[in-house]
Amino acid sequence: MRRPILAANWKMNNLTADAKKLCAGLKEELSGLRDRDIVVCPPSILISTVKDALAGTLIGFGAQNMYYKQSGAFTGELSPDMLVDAQCRYVIIGHSERRQLFAETDALVNLKVKAALEVGLTPIMCVGETKDERKAGKEKDIVGGQIRAGLKDVKFESPLGLVIAYEPIWAIGTGETATPQDAQDMHAYIRSVLTEIYGEETAGLMRIQYGGSVKPDNIDELMACEDIDGALVGGASLEAKSFARIVRFSA
Ligand code: 13P
């Protein structure tokens, strides 16, 4: 079994006091767990608060986005080096909200994934189809295309250093989760695309998270699926007990 990776994407939520409280709760609930990777991705302005609040735990943290250039006149952006300097280990790249609301393309996602790997960050590259695309039976074409374009010429040292998150857009924040069977089908398909790109051994080691209305009451059945190696959690990560229950899934 691949080492599970459970990540919290706080999105644009929480102020300093909320972040401290949430991290204190996670510390209490999760400090002893060593057999899985746990990641918290707060808004960037809270990264140093989260770093301090999680000090002494095995809980990692990261950013929700970054630019691909290392410095320069890019008002409002953060560079890969800045995230490393802030001691991030992870960065979410190409979340569907970035793609849909901020016009991020596969080509930009590809540049960001490469830039993250170059400085030793672990990118969590998000892919996923819309409801209409699924209705039209195009979900595998869409997701396969996102994977191939996002990973074009992407090389890495360790298969554990790049994570894919499959997040069907229709399941994000809607309470409508993909059935474990639908999620597993897509994850197996993603792994087959990764096999084409990197070969069977490497693809077999890479982790693919599911995201989209993951909750304490559906995580166990999702994690029981062969190709689901973790979760990227939005809403349910904003409460320590519910994220802790997700992290402590039993499959
Ligand atoms: P929800 O868990 O709120 O559906 O969000 C999923 C997501 O977008 C995580 O990145």
Side-chain angles (χ1 to χ4, degrees):
M1 191 188 171
R2 289 166 286 267
R3 182 178 169 86
I5 176 163
L6 293 305
N9 174 9
W10 289 0
K11 307 193 180 184
M12 198 175 72
N13 292 293
N14 290 333
L15 301 178
T16 305
D18 309 308
K20 286 183 179 165
K21 193 169 154 222
L22 190 37
C23 288
L26 296 179
K27 204 167 166 174
E28 195 180 309
E29 301 267 347
L30 297 172
S31 326
L33 279 182
R34 292 176 177 275
D35 61 347
R36 60 205 70 195
D37 291 331
I38 310 169
V39 183
V40 174
C41 296
S44 295
I45 201 162
L46 293 174
I47 286 172
S48 97
T49 303
V50 164
K51 178 182 80 179
D52 292 345
L54 294 178
T57 74
L58 293 172
I59 304 173
F61 58 90
Q64 298 172 14
N65 180 34
M66 62 165 212
Y67 199 48
Y68 68 94
K69 299 270 193 183
Q70 284 300 4
S71 63
F74 303 103
T75 301
E77 295 293 321
L78 297 176
S79 75
D81 273 350
M82 288 172 187
L83 300 190
V84 172
D85 190 44
Q87 294 174 28
C88 290
R89 211 179 318 148
Y90 300 88
V91 59
I92 299 172
I93 303 281
H95 191 280
S96 63
E97 286 146 21
R98 303 286 327 160
R99 293 175 187 259
Q100 292 200 314
L101 302 172
F102 302 98
E104 289 201 7
T105 60
D106 283 329
L108 182 60
V109 169
N110 179 246
L111 289 169
K112 291 185 175 192
V113 168
K114 286 179 183 160
L117 288 166
E118 211 154 285
V119 296
L121 290 165
T122 294
I124 299 177
M125 186 181 95
C126 302
V127 295
E129 81 286 358
T130 64
K131 184 148 226 161
D132 284 349
E133 288 162 347
R134 179 163 279 264
K135 270 195 201 145
K138 291 188 186 150
E139 66 277 11
K140 287 192 173 137
D141 289 347
I142 297 292
V143 170
Q146 290 170 336
I147 297 272
R148 286 189 183 90
L151 297 181
K152 187 165 184 290
D153 301 325
V154 167
K155 296 183 181 54
F156 44 80
E157 276 164 27
S158 162
L160 295 182
L162 169 65
V163 177
I164 305 293
Y166 168 57
E167 300 205 306
I169 292 167
W170 47 271
I172 295 178
T174 58
E176 189 183 346
T177 329
T179 63
Q181 191 55 54
D182 282 347
Q184 166 57 28
D185 279 355
M186 183 60 90
H187 280 231
Y189 174 70
I190 291 172
R191 203 173 302 283
S192 75
V193 176
L194 295 174
T195 301
E196 275 171 37
I197 306 173
Y198 296 111
E200 198 171 332
E201 191 183 341
T202 299
L205 294 168
M206 291 176 74
R207 291 166 309 168
I208 309 172
Q209 296 176 311
Y210 170 79
S213 297
V214 172
K215 307 277 180 234
D217 64 5
N218 58 25
I219 185 67
D220 296 347
E221 53 181 8
L222 288 163
M223 289 304 291
C225 298
E226 190 181 337
D227 288 290
I228 300 183
D229 309 312
L232 182 55
V233 187
S237 74
L238 298 175
E239 208 268 306
K241 281 214 177 328
S242 76
F243 185 59
R245 170 63 184 85
I246 289 168
V247 171
R248 290 184 176 281
F249 70 88
S250 66

